[in-house]
Amino acid sequence: ALDFFLKAIRLNPDFKNYYNAGVSVFKLKEYEKAVHFIKQALHLNKQFILGHLLLAQIYQHLNQDEKTEIYLKNIIKLDPNHK
């Protein structure tokens, strides 16, 4: 699946393609690569809540509590009613 998303990024470097690539490597537990792709997605769309949520999950897996908290707070700022 990652190859598909990398090709999609080359053809259309849009935040959804970066996010999907990030999800693919996250599922493989390649957390540092996932951070790279998700940060690219958020660079293109800072309001993308799923990107903030996935980064919080990744940082939780990496035991980086401060960064986890930052991205969870970002979600609350973007959407105070998010559940």
Side-chain angles (χ1 to χ4, degrees), residues 27-44:
K27 289 179 179 178
L28 298 173
K29 298 183 181 180
E30 294 182 28
Y31 300 126
E32 297 298 332
K33 284 184 183 179
V35 166
H36 167 76
F37 286 119
I38 302 305
K39 284 190 173 185
Q40 287 292 333
L42 290 176
H43 176 73
L44 296 170

Side-chain angles (χ1 to χ4, degrees), residues 8-19:
I9 288 169
R10 282 192 298 276
L11 296 173
N12 180 20
D14 128 301
F15 77 96
K16 292 176 189 173
N17 290 331
Y18 279 105
Y19 175 77

